[in-house]
């Protein structure tokens, strides 16, 4: 079968096409998935650069997020059949409950083989059904970005109708967060470096927008927009370049869901956390149970993921380069025609 692999290179890892990789067979309790589409995340760039915090397997098949159909089932599989449409779970072993080291010690496209391949074998528990109204390309955007946004808003932020959330940028996580926040009846304030992208999020329902390049002290504008109070939740994807502003933008007793580091890593000053009793809560994608809850909401609200561009399997390297350019809005997808 055809698959991509990440091989050690001078600067990080190099994306290598292998058209003679042995097709895996499903063993006991496993399913074989014929992959139709994958989507890229910022994490895939970190892994390719060799700077992902967790371990990466040698010559790993990259990319955590993919959707396809079950093409064979191994002995003992009871919940899935040939033809079922599924995505791979980002963490194959985090089924439900609190996060544990064991639950997050293996992740697709990092410590175990991922989805940028014509065929993938996964344990039955890690092949998750998705909403009927979604195409394979749309479903392929869900396992990492959508689930992370969901956990931040629902499990950690406990957002209610009428609350206000601050979203940063217009990448995969933040656009899903906008869609979910809208569905929950929350008011969204969203930042971006691009006025065109801000116009697009306004059309999608963001109430207020701020260009973070033109307004580097954007927390002051957030306070003005919230009558001095601050927002209930910040979905923090920026890291070192945004955290200080996020701590100024959140209300007393509010929550900063700490997800990303698109602007790098740095030190945290604990003073605002203490003096304003802010809850700073790390987020790591989510469990299969959270995915199931998200799926129900996606079905109920007929949410359609926002796809930026779809590349062919042969253009995978171009898809990586496009994501790295930061030009995208929402999700970058790769389709795989078998
Ligand atoms: N912890 C987890 O479980 C988890 C899960 C998923 C993602 N993440 C992390 O979350 C971050 C976002 O991931 P993603 O896949 O959504 O990335 P992405 O699609 O590549 O989007 C990145 C976006 O970040 C925005 N951005 C860049 N610098 C910014 C800044 N200084 N302030 C505000 N926004 C800025 C840009 O938006 P504009 O073009 O609009 O300016 C850019 O499009 C990454 O660091 C990723 O590693 C973590």
């Amino acid at each position: 079968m055809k698959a991509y692999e990440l091989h050690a290179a001078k600067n990080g890892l190099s994306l290598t096409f292998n058209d003679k990789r042995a097709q895996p067979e499903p063993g006991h309790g496993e399913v074989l998935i014929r992959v139709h589409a994958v989507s890229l995340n910022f994490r895939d760039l970190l892994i390719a650069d060799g700077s992902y915090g967790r371990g990466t397997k040698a010559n790993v098949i990259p990319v955590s997020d993919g959707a396809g159909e079950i093409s064979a089932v191994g002995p003992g599989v009871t919940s899935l059949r040939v033809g079922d449409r599924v995505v791979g779970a980002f963490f194959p072993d985090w089924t439900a409950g609190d996060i544990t080291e064991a639950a997050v010690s293996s992740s697709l496209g990092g410590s175990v083989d991922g989805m940028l391949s014509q065929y993938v074998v996964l344990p039955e528990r890690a092949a998750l059904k998705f909403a009927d109204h979604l195409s394979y390309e749309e479903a392929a955007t869900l396992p990492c970005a959508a689930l992370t946004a969901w956990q931040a808003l629902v499990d950690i932020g406990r957002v209610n109708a009428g609350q206000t959330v601050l979203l940063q940028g217009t990448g995969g996580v933040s656009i899903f967060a906008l869609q979910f926040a809208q569905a929950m009846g929350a008011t969204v304030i969203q930042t971006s470096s691009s006025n065109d992208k801000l116009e697009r999020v306004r059309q999608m329902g963001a109430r207020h927008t701020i260009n973070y390049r033109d307004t580097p002290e954007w927390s002051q504008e957030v306070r003005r927009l919230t009558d001095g109070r601050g927002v209930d939740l910040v979905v923090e994807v920026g890291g070192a370049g945004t955290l200080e502003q996020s701590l100024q933008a959140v209300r007393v007793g509010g929550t900063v869901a700490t997800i990303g580091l698109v602007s790098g890593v740095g030190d945290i000053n604990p003073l605002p956390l203490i003096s304003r009793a802010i809850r700073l809560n790390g987020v790591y994608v989510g469990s299969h149970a959270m995915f199931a809850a998200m799926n129900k909401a996606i079905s109920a609200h007929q949410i359609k993921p926002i796809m930026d561009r779809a590349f062919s399997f042969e253009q995978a390297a171009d898809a990586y380069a496009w994501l790295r350019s930061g030009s995208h809005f929402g999700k970058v997808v790769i389709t795989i025609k078998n």
Side-chain angles (χ1 to χ4, degrees), residues 6 13 43 46-47 50-58 60 101 104-113 284:
L6 288 176
L13 302 169
R43 167 188 188 259
L46 296 176
I47 288 176
S51 53
Y52 189 57
R54 294 214 165 224
T56 303
K57 188 184 114 170
V60 71
E101 184 57 38
V104 299
S105 60
S106 68
S107 57
L108 297 187
S111 56
V112 297
D113 282 329
Y284 205 7

Side-chain angles (χ1 to χ4, degrees), residues 134-149:
L134 300 182
S135 66
Y136 287 116
E137 284 80 4
E138 289 165 339
T141 68
L142 301 178
C144 179
L147 188 53
T148 303

Side-chain angles (χ1 to χ4, degrees), residues 40-43 45-46 144-145 148 168-174 191-194 197 212 218 236-238 241-242 258-263 283-285 323 326 328 330-331:
L40 297 183
N41 291 286
F42 192 82
R43 167 188 188 259
L45 303 179
L46 296 176
C144 179
T148 303
Q168 299 172 344
T170 56
V173 172
S174 300
T191 69
S192 174
S193 57
S194 152
K197 291 179 177 181
Y212 63 80
W218 45 263
E236 181 24 80
V237 298
T242 53
T258 312
I259 292 172
L261 33 78
V262 288
S263 64
V283 181
Y284 205 7
V285 191
L323 185 77
H328 61 290
K331 295 298 299 176

